[in-house]
Amino acid sequence: MKQKSFSWQRLVHARLFMPLVCLAVVLLANVIRTPDFFKISINNGVLYGYLIDIINRSSELVILAVGMTLATAASGGQDISVGAVMAVSAAICCQLLSGGEVSVTSLAAPIVLAALAGVLAAGLCGAFNGFLVAKLHIQPMVATLILYTAGRGIAQLVTRGQITYVRVDAYKVLGGYIGSCPIPTPVFVALIVVIIMAVILKKTALGLYLESVGNNGKASRLVGLNSALICFMAYVICSILAGIAGLVASSRIYSADANNIGLNLEMDAILAVALGGNNLGGGSFNLTGSIIGAYTIQALTTTLYAMKVSADQLPVYKAIVIVIIVILQSPVFRSLIAGMKRKRAVTVDEK
Amino acid sequence: MKSKKLSRSGLLLTITVGLFLLMYISGMLIFSDKGFAKPQMFLNLFISNAGLIVISCGLTLVMITGGIDISVGSVTALVCTVSAFMMENMGLSAVTALIASLIIGLLFGLVQGYLVSYLEIQPFIITLAGMFFARGMTAVVSTEMISIKNELFLKWAKAKIVLPFGYTNNKGVYIESYIYPTVIVALLTVVLVALMLKYTRFGRSLYAIGGNAQSAVMMGLNVRRDKFRAYVLDGFLTGLGGFLFCLNSCAGFVEQAKGLEMDAISAAVIGGTLLTGGVGGVVGTLFGVLIKGTIASLITTQGTLSSWWVRIALSALLCFFIVLQAVIGSVSAKKHGARLA
């Protein structure tokens, strides 16, 4: 009996326990509401179903969550410009592809080149954020607030205030399907990004460095790490990933909508990181947790949409969830709970 | 140490006032044919930014403690929409709407302040959640734009206060200058908050908390309580500022006041309030708002540039001032270090 309760406790305290429970709860709620939730069928040669839809739609969020995890770990702050950076990358890519026209049916530039330019622009945004955070020691959220507001303005200027359409089948591949493959492409993109980042973090010491800098930048500097450079890199990676996510999002709608691409997605990404059991104050991180968190958020979003909650009202629920998570995470609240438990133990002993 | 810090904020304030004068005078010279030199143009800066002035004052208080509040823009939208909904769809009076606005602001201040100061959660995360919550609630109240036609409300909004000066236009007709009551409320707020910061215990302790919270605790200040009060006051001023904003726009809709938090933060930073806390004041913030207003009217007067340029120019200016603060900070730290050595 004692053995059993011990292992139960270990399970509860495992890092991935909370994220997995949240995901299970959301999925369970869906199954109760719509019994054929897990049903996957093949329509027109592609997979079709609620689950596929959630996995497909959460691809951008997974990519963003990976970057956000790194930025959070290294700086103890969040990059709130990712949504705007997505718009910038999409705007530059589409503008190059269309050659300045509003709507085109033939390409003005090779897709690979335009996509690279978009990602490069995102990388520049990241370099700007990273410079402010790592070199000038400005709080990450104030530094990224600059691009959060200016980014969409820049994207508007790039597209000259219009929505640029690229009606070419080759451009729809990234957000659609490759040939006759039944699985949507964004899923693969997210998978590739996750694998590459996981390999980099596992095979190089970058992950360790990020945690060390996040825990104590000064101490890391004293043991010989270039703290500023590592923090800078975390922000550049975060923005490059946001750029890739922007391309996927733009390919889905084969256009660059500067006002709506990546709208409110920064909130989702932060939520995914927090839900994944990562400390928003920096330091050690858990990539798997963030990814599970991202899928949970998307499942929640899809569920709320299905419950006829409008897109404008969605943030209310997400804001409540994030407040609950940060309250549960806060050290003061934890010591309060610990104190209550101790008190209860003492009164039981007295009896 | 204290006098040194104050002189640093004095330097930043001088730069800000100088920049404002430079921008305004060059605007007068370039666009003199489009009426930029008329006194009413200057008064319009206050009329169109009255709400922002009040909101920025509240934000400055929080920033002096080393915190931040990015929910102000969304709370403004919520206040406007709730006021509009109450007056137009529920038939309540303008006074009730005003009281409701203040209560909404206070509630946000209370909750956010409690979480930040007593549970020690990063102010950014909490107010980010507040920002999304308020924006979402706006959509819950009404997804459509509501324009306000309440008589008393419009009377408040359009009550011209004529000033004893004006100018004669090219047809020889004397045109008087005027302001709206909102301007008086805004300027009164600036004066009251400035006096409070300078002469009350609470005001001084905000600077102490922002300068170094640990020393403030050791000095015997109740850091948590005062921080909490700063957020509550900020929330109240956001409610009031939101109502003034509503008086200017006479409508409420979901996308209203988007990016206002950025304007308010820029105004405070440009006005010499340090992002790290401990230094700053609301007079500087007032000039920060005026600079933002000048940029906006320069771009509207110019006519061909897109309105997005206002935000981009303001962001660039904010960026410049942040770098300036960092440079001044590191220079004075070096001086201090040299003196110690």
Side-chain angles (χ1 to χ4, degrees), chain A residues 3-61:
Chain A
Q3 192 66 35
K4 207 172 183 181
S5 75
F6 175 64
S7 68
W8 171 245
Q9 276 218 328
R10 236 179 41 184
L11 185 68
V12 170
H13 285 125
R15 288 195 75 167
L16 290 180
F17 180 73
M18 270 294 282
L20 283 173
V21 167
C22 291
L23 183 59
V25 167
V26 175
L27 291 181
L28 204 67
N30 271 304
V31 172
I32 293 168
R33 213 173 38 82
T34 40
D36 60 348
F37 182 73
F38 284 112
K39 206 179 124 200
I40 294 171
S41 57
I42 294 185
N43 275 12
N44 300 331
V46 295
L47 290 174
Y48 190 81
Y50 279 107
L51 216 52
I52 295 294
D53 188 52
I54 290 174
I55 294 173
N56 180 15
R57 296 266 157 212
S58 53
S59 305
E60 288 103 313
L61 191 54

Side-chain angles (χ1 to χ4, degrees), chain B residues 22-266:
Chain B
L22 184 77
M23 282 172 66
Y24 202 81
I25 291 170
S26 50
M28 277 160 73
L29 293 178
I30 298 168
F31 297 120
S32 56
D33 53 326
K34 290 183 183 168
F36 212 87
K38 287 171 192 158
Q40 189 57 45
M41 197 72 186
F42 181 72
L43 294 175
N44 280 345
L45 283 185
F46 289 91
I47 291 175
S48 50
N49 290 307
L52 184 59
I53 291 173
V54 175
I55 293 166
S56 306
C57 280
L59 191 65
T60 307
L61 291 178
V62 169
M63 283 173 70
I64 287 173
T65 68
I68 199 139
D69 181 358
I70 54 172
S71 69
V72 289
S74 301
V75 174
T76 300
L78 181 61
V79 163
C80 290
T81 310
V82 169
S83 303
F85 188 80
M86 285 175 79
M87 282 184 279
E88 295 308 313
N89 297 24
M90 291 164 70
L92 295 168
S93 80
V95 181
T96 328
L98 173 61
I99 294 170
S101 303
L102 297 181
I103 289 175
I104 290 173
L106 264 180
L107 279 179
F108 269 87
L110 283 168
V111 174
Q112 294 183 155
Y114 179 78
L115 293 174
V116 169
S117 48
Y118 287 98
L119 288 187
E120 293 173 13
I121 302 171
Q122 286 182 32
F124 240 118
I125 293 286
I126 286 304
T127 54
L128 184 75
M131 167 175 158
F132 280 86
F133 182 79
R135 191 68 71 183
M137 280 311 283
T138 312
V140 173
V141 173
S142 167
T143 45
E144 316 248 304
M145 178 169 153
I146 310 173
S147 21
I148 300 171
K149 296 178 195 77
N150 185 299
E151 272 177 34
L152 180 62
F153 186 86
L154 290 183
K155 218 169 105 188
W156 285 350
K158 301 283 170 237
K160 275 187 190 176
I161 298 172
V162 178
L163 297 180
F165 56 85
Y167 72 102
T168 321
N169 70 3
N170 48 15
K171 282 179 196 141
V173 183
Y174 177 78
I175 293 177
E176 55 204 2
S177 304
Y178 62 89
I179 52 171
Y180 289 127
T182 51
V183 178
I184 294 175
V185 177
L187 292 180
L188 206 63
T189 310
V190 173
V191 172
L192 285 178
V193 174
L195 290 177
M196 187 201 74
L197 278 175
K198 194 137 183 118
Y199 294 110
T200 66
R201 254 179 98 91
F202 172 64
R204 299 319 297 171
S205 94
L206 290 187
Y207 284 100
I209 293 168
N212 189 335
Q214 219 163 356
S215 337
V217 171
M218 288 175 180
M219 269 156 61
L221 293 175
N222 193 339
V223 171
R224 287 182 167 181
R225 189 198 62 197
D226 285 349
K227 231 183 187 177
F228 176 62
R229 286 182 181 173
Y231 277 92
V232 174
L233 197 54
D234 162 55
F236 177 78
L237 288 178
T238 307
L240 179 64
F243 195 76
L244 296 187
F245 191 92
C246 192
L247 277 169
N248 190 37
S249 65
C250 287
F253 54 99
V254 177
E255 296 293 300
Q256 201 167 25
K258 202 144 208 190
L260 189 84
E261 60 281 345
M262 183 69 184
D263 293 348
I265 293 171
S266 317

Side-chain angles (χ1 to χ4, degrees), chain A:
Chain A
M1 191 67 197
K2 205 170 184 186
Q3 192 66 35
K4 207 172 183 181
S5 75
F6 175 64
S7 68
W8 171 245
Q9 276 218 328
R10 236 179 41 184
L11 185 68
V12 170
H13 285 125
R15 288 195 75 167
L16 290 180
F17 180 73
M18 270 294 282
L20 283 173
V21 167
C22 291
L23 183 59
V25 167
V26 175
L27 291 181
L28 204 67
N30 271 304
V31 172
I32 293 168
R33 213 173 38 82
T34 40
D36 60 348
F37 182 73
F38 284 112
K39 206 179 124 200
I40 294 171
S41 57
I42 294 185
N43 275 12
N44 300 331
V46 295
L47 290 174
Y48 190 81
Y50 279 107
L51 216 52
I52 295 294
D53 188 52
I54 290 174
I55 294 173
N56 180 15
R57 296 266 157 212
S58 53
S59 305
E60 288 103 313
L61 191 54
V62 169
I63 300 172
L64 286 184
V66 170
M68 189 70 82
T69 312
L70 302 185
T72 303
S75 66
Q78 283 71 40
D79 182 348
I80 57 171
S81 71
V82 285
V85 170
M86 281 173 74
V88 170
S89 146
I92 286 185
C93 179
C94 284
Q95 203 64 18
L96 280 178
L97 286 179
S98 74
E101 300 291 320
V102 175
S103 175
V104 289
T105 46
S106 63
L107 298 175
I111 290 186
V112 178
L113 215 66
L116 270 180
V119 173
L120 193 73
L124 280 179
C125 294
F128 174 75
N129 286 336
F131 175 73
L132 292 180
V133 174
K135 275 280 167 206
L136 297 180
H137 302 288
I138 294 156
Q139 295 100 308
M141 281 178 144
V142 178
T144 52
L145 188 68
I146 295 176
L147 271 182
Y148 171 78
T149 23
R152 286 189 193 280
I154 295 169
Q156 287 274 6
L157 289 180
V158 171
T159 61
R160 302 202 187 102
Q162 279 153 333
I163 299 176
T164 312
Y165 283 96
V166 181
R167 298 179 201 277
V168 181
D169 282 337
Y171 187 63
K172 296 178 190 167
V173 166
L174 199 59
Y177 299 88
I178 310 173
S180 57
C181 177
I183 301 167
T185 323
V187 178
F188 292 117
V189 179
L191 199 67
I192 292 168
V193 166
V194 168
I195 290 174
I196 291 176
M197 288 316 296
V199 167
I200 291 176
L201 292 175
K202 274 263 156 29
K203 292 288 167 193
T204 70
L206 183 67
L208 194 66
Y209 288 171
L210 287 172
E211 290 190 357
S212 153
V213 169
N215 274 326
N216 193 333
K218 226 175 236 172
S220 309
R221 184 79 199 86
L222 290 178
V223 297
L225 295 180
N226 189 343
S227 295
L229 183 68
I230 290 165
C231 189
F232 177 80
M233 269 169 63
Y235 275 85
V236 173
I237 294 174
C238 181
S239 284
I240 287 179
L241 293 183
I244 295 173
L247 295 183
V248 174
S250 133
S251 169
R252 276 187 206 280
I253 52 172
Y254 47 91
S255 63
D257 184 352
N259 274 333
N260 288 318
I261 282 187
L263 190 66
N264 295 347
L265 226 50
E266 53 279 339
M267 179 74 167
D268 284 3
I270 296 171
L271 201 53
V273 173
L275 208 59
N278 293 291
N279 186 355
L280 289 181
S284 60
F285 64 93
N286 183 349
L287 213 54
T288 323
S290 298
I291 294 164
I292 296 173
Y295 284 118
T296 314
I297 301 301
Q298 190 57 42
L300 183 70
T301 310
T302 311
T303 314
L304 289 172
Y305 275 138
M307 285 163 69
K308 304 268 186 295
V309 175
S310 85
D312 289 337
Q313 299 167 352
L314 218 53
V316 174
Y317 301 93
K318 289 183 181 164
I320 292 172
V321 174
I322 201 164
V323 167
I324 292 172
I325 294 173
V326 289
I327 288 176
L328 291 178
Q329 270 191 1
S330 83
V332 177
F333 183 78
R334 285 194 172 170
S335 65
L336 218 73
I337 294 295
M340 266 158 67
K341 268 189 188 159
R342 223 173 294 133
K343 227 183 228 167
R344 205 188 299 155
V346 169
T347 45
V348 168
D349 279 355
E350 277 170 356
K351 272 180 191 169

